[in-house]
Amino acid sequence: MEAQRTRSQEQILQLLGKLGREISAQALYVELRHHRQGVGLATVYRSLEALKLGGVVQARTLANGEAVYSLVQEDKHHLTCLQCGASVPIDACPVHELEAQLQTSKRFRIYYHTLEFFGLCSLCEHQHLAGA
Amino acid sequence: MEAQRTRSQEQILQLLGKLGREISAQALYVELRHHRQGVGLATVYRSLEALKLGGVVQARTLANGEAVYSLVQEDKHHLTCLQCGASVPIDACPVHELEAQLQTSKRFRIYYHTLEFFGLCSLCEHQHLAGA
DNA sequence: GTTATTGCAAACAATTTGCACCCAC
DNA sequence: GTGGGTGCAAATTGTTTGCAATAAC
């Protein structure tokens, strides 16, 4: 009983695959306009929502409040500076075991997880201490 | 060189402590109005931002897009249903070691982290498969 | 033909910002 | 008196929704 995808969903899925990185709904909308014309912004949001429920797309919210989407892929986590917003990727991800456990113990079908670290990068920490 | 806190920041900090749970900026605003009057919504946001930079308050964004705040406290993570929004707390947190490592290897002063699992609760999964 | 999907524009809601006032020092 | 802190209201922005037109089967 796989959910058959709509035209827009296919387009979005394909573009996300080609990009291979996170992108906001707004940026995705612009991107799609560039390629083949004709995808409304509302449709982008609706499609992303559907794809998320389908377990093929994941989302996370950036510090500025906008959501970014990508194909579901594990172990793409970040360490973000609360001050300047600088974000560095993290390689390790120690939550797989826990995820497996939760999936059974909590009776949840888990699609993806987010793991984010927040703090101050060394530069901002200095400025912060200096009272800038 | 500890940042001295403003009146509003103190009020908010105190209320967050008393509550002991996450709360949105808007709800915090209402809460503060109930107690002692006189805290503007803008000030709530500004104070929360400052407290976050001070490393005493943490934030995460709910599925509906609104941010919730609490005192920095480790190991309060969640498993959330993408469909119905149900959210169950998780006890375990396997990222402490990694956090310590990152703090040195990445030259970041880490204040807190978020760890969220997303998927479908068993009820919604059934409805989903049924094509509801 | 019937039903789901789409696009557009209007509606929403959380958050941010401009600015005048006020408090602390 | 000066500078930061605050409140209010307006502005901003990401996202959602109503509805008529359109595509899918």
Side-chain angles (χ1 to χ4, degrees):
Chain A
M1 198 51 56
E2 263 310 305
Q4 64 270 356
R5 302 194 177 109
T6 69
R7 175 164 48 92
S8 302
Q9 285 172 32
E10 286 295 354
Q11 285 183 223
I12 287 174
L13 217 42
Q14 191 174 323
L15 185 47
L16 283 178
K18 187 155 52 182
L19 288 175
R21 60 177 174 77
E22 296 174 313
I23 185 173
S24 71
Q26 308 268 352
L28 197 51
Y29 166 71
V30 172
E31 236 9 84
L32 286 168
R33 289 263 144 168
H34 284 188
H35 291 269
R36 54 203 82 231
Q37 73 287 68
V39 181
L41 183 54
T43 302
V44 172
Y45 279 106
R46 283 188 279 236
S47 297
L48 286 170
E49 184 62 24
L51 292 170
K52 209 169 56 174
L53 284 172
V56 294
V57 160
Q58 65 180 232
R60 74 176 176 115
T61 308
L62 300 182
N64 65 27
E66 83 176 357
V68 287
Y69 304 82
S70 68
L71 297 186
V72 164
Q73 54 187 173
E74 301 199 315
D75 305 346
K76 291 285 185 179
H77 303 310
H78 300 266
L79 169 50
T80 301
C81 178
L82 291 167
Q83 178 76 260
C84 69
S87 190
V88 307
I90 297 167
D91 313 311
C93 177
V95 312
H96 291 146
E97 273 187 48
L98 175 58
E99 182 165 317
Q101 289 171 25
L102 290 171
Q103 190 137 221
T104 60
S105 71
K106 301 287 186 184
R107 296 175 175 280
F108 248 78
R109 170 71 175 279
I110 299 180
Y111 286 159
Y112 67 93
H113 63 259
T114 64
L115 173 59
E116 311 283 327
F117 293 88
F118 296 95
L120 293 180
C121 68
S122 55
L123 187 58
C124 286
E125 188 178 7
H126 292 155
Q127 296 175 352
H128 188 242
L129 292 178
Chain B
M1 198 54 55
E2 264 309 304
Q4 63 269 354
R5 303 194 175 109
T6 67
R7 174 165 48 92
S8 304
Q9 286 173 31
E10 285 296 354
Q11 285 184 223
I12 287 174
L13 218 42
Q14 192 175 323
L15 185 47
L16 284 178
K18 186 156 50 181
L19 288 175
R21 59 176 175 81
E22 297 174 313
I23 185 172
S24 71
Q26 306 269 353
L28 198 50
Y29 167 70
V30 172
E31 233 13 81
L32 286 168
R33 290 262 144 166
H34 284 187
H35 290 271
R36 55 202 82 233
Q37 73 287 68
V39 181
L41 183 54
T43 302
V44 172
Y45 279 105
R46 283 189 279 236
S47 297
L48 286 171
E49 184 62 24
L51 292 170
K52 209 168 58 175
L53 285 173
V56 294
V57 160
Q58 65 180 230
R60 74 175 176 115
T61 309
L62 300 182
N64 64 27
E66 82 177 357
V68 288
Y69 304 82
S70 69
L71 296 187
V72 165
Q73 53 187 174
E74 300 199 318
D75 304 345
K76 291 288 186 178
H77 303 310
H78 300 267
L79 170 51
T80 302
C81 179
L82 290 167
Q83 179 76 262
C84 69
S87 190
V88 308
I90 297 167
D91 313 311
C93 176
V95 312
H96 291 146
E97 273 186 48
L98 175 58
E99 182 165 317
Q101 288 170 25
L102 289 171
Q103 189 135 220
T104 60
S105 71
K106 301 287 187 184
R107 295 176 177 280
F108 247 79
R109 169 68 175 281
I110 298 180
Y111 286 159
Y112 67 93
H113 64 259
T114 64
L115 173 60
E116 311 284 327
F117 294 88
F118 296 95
L120 294 180
C121 67
S122 55
L123 186 58
C124 287
E125 188 179 7
H126 292 155
Q127 296 176 352
H128 189 242
L129 292 178

